Amino acid sequence: MGAGAHGRVTSCTLPTMSDAFDALGLPIWPAAERNKQPIAEVLVPLLANREGVFLEIASGTGQHIVHFAGLLPRFTFVPSDCDPEHLDTLRRRVEATALPNLNAPLAIDVTWESWPIAGADVVYNANMMHIAPLEAARGLFRGASRVLPSGGLLVTYGPYRFSGKHVSESNERFDASLRSRNPDWGVRDVDDLETFAREHGLVLGDRIAMPANNFTLVWTKA
Ligand SMILES: C[S@@+](CC[C@H](N)C(=O)[O-])C[C@H]1O[C@@H](n2cnc3c(N)ncnc32)[C@H](O)[C@@H]1O
């Protein structure tokens, strides 16, 4: 926990869990390596007729955004995170990748009232809501709604519960282990997320089942 640049106490929590590194010594998370291509297979057709700014919240190591930037050249990609160590990794990975449509990372704590970006056409967030307090999920919907135009998309990826029910026993065990590590963490219920979305003018559309009992959810700004 720390005080954000905008004066609020942040919910930013650093999961230091790398045991693999690339040739530059930058961390590689095995889960991100596994899920980046299945997510890309959803994003590429979803965004085929769109263009503009693609803002990622909670980029972590940047493995997702680097992969997507290579596949969607009509977008300018902006990584972000709240954690200084991740921001350093992101900066170095963006520089090493040298993709023309991949910008330097922004420091953004999702719970900040205002994010330091004028606007975005797509906001993307993976694997954050379950390892941060519920306030981070609320902040994601509030912040996304503020930066997206009408018709803009918020795409979220991760494990979810639906109306109180887990989609698998392994997700239920994962939820219990998260809560035992930190009582403020846990697999989020899509009903709660829809409440936040309604408060901020976002509507849930597609719910796409992904490998390993995860989902991609597509939210549209009304
Ligand atoms: C499990 S990692 C996921 C990273 C990446 N999105 C992925 O799927 O590989 C969770 C990320 O959430 C970030 N995070 C946690 N709380 C946050 C907050 N309040 N604002 C922004 N990012 C946050 C952490 O710094 C970390 O990068």
Side-chain angles (χ1 to χ4, degrees), residues 10-15 17 29 31-33 35 39 56-64 80-83 86 108-112 124-133 136 157:
T10 75
S11 59
C12 185
T13 314
L14 171 68
M17 53 195 185
W29 289 345
E33 278 310 283
N35 56 36
I39 300 170
E56 182 177 23
I57 294 295
S59 299
T61 61
Q63 289 160 258
H64 282 181
S80 75
D81 208 282
C82 61
D83 180 83
H86 290 331
I108 297 182
D109 186 312
V110 74
T111 62
W112 286 347
Y124 168 78
N125 176 248
N127 294 318
M128 178 201 73
M129 287 191 269
H130 59 284
I131 60 144
Y157 168 89

Side-chain angles (χ1 to χ4, degrees), residues 137-149:
R138 189 193 299 275
L140 177 66
F141 286 89
R142 181 183 56 226
S145 173
R146 288 182 181 162
V147 299
L148 288 171

